[in-house]
Amino acid sequence: MGRRPSVFVRPVTMEEGRKLQRISRSAKPVKLRRAIMVLMSAQGQTVKDITTLMQVGEDYVRDVIHAFNERGFDALGPKWSRGTPQDDQ
């Protein structure tokens, strides 16, 4: 099995960076964890580094990064299976 290519979040604006920092200080656990992963990626941390520090799987980190690149801040919230999503930030 070959080495997987590096995955990084797209460049974030200053405003997005500030919003991610606010989320990382006050959000619920799922959103908090995802915001930290995005911030780490934006700061140049590799998927491997993030998995080591956050104690999560590489596929999960890649999924979060890809989702943020595609959907922005909507990708940070938990996935709701039914009902209306709650706004926690």
Side-chain angles (χ1 to χ4, degrees):
M1 181 182 212
R3 184 172 182 261
R4 295 180 91 173
S6 296
V7 175
F8 291 96
V9 72
R10 63 170 170 71
V12 295
T13 66
M14 291 295 282
E15 179 61 30
E16 288 174 324
R18 285 191 288 273
K19 186 172 181 178
L20 285 165
Q21 288 177 335
R22 279 193 308 272
I23 290 169
S24 70
R25 283 187 239 126
S26 62
K28 294 183 180 177
V30 170
K31 195 170 190 176
L32 166 72
R33 181 175 283 257
R34 292 176 184 173
I36 291 170
M37 287 183 217
V38 170
L39 275 171
M40 291 176 73
S41 180
Q43 293 170 349
Q45 297 291 321
T46 65
V47 169
K48 185 71 171 168
D49 292 339
I50 296 169
T51 61
T52 300
L53 292 169
M54 300 294 295
Q55 297 296 297
V56 294
E58 288 186 20
D59 287 339
Y60 180 69
V61 174
R62 284 186 177 87
D63 288 347
V64 169
I65 291 170
H66 285 301
F68 185 82
N69 287 344
E70 292 170 11
R71 298 193 320 267
F73 287 92
D74 289 341
L76 299 181
K79 296 176 183 169
W80 298 94
S81 59
R82 56 193 150 130
T84 305
Q86 297 174 350
D87 185 21
D88 60 336
Q89 180 61 14

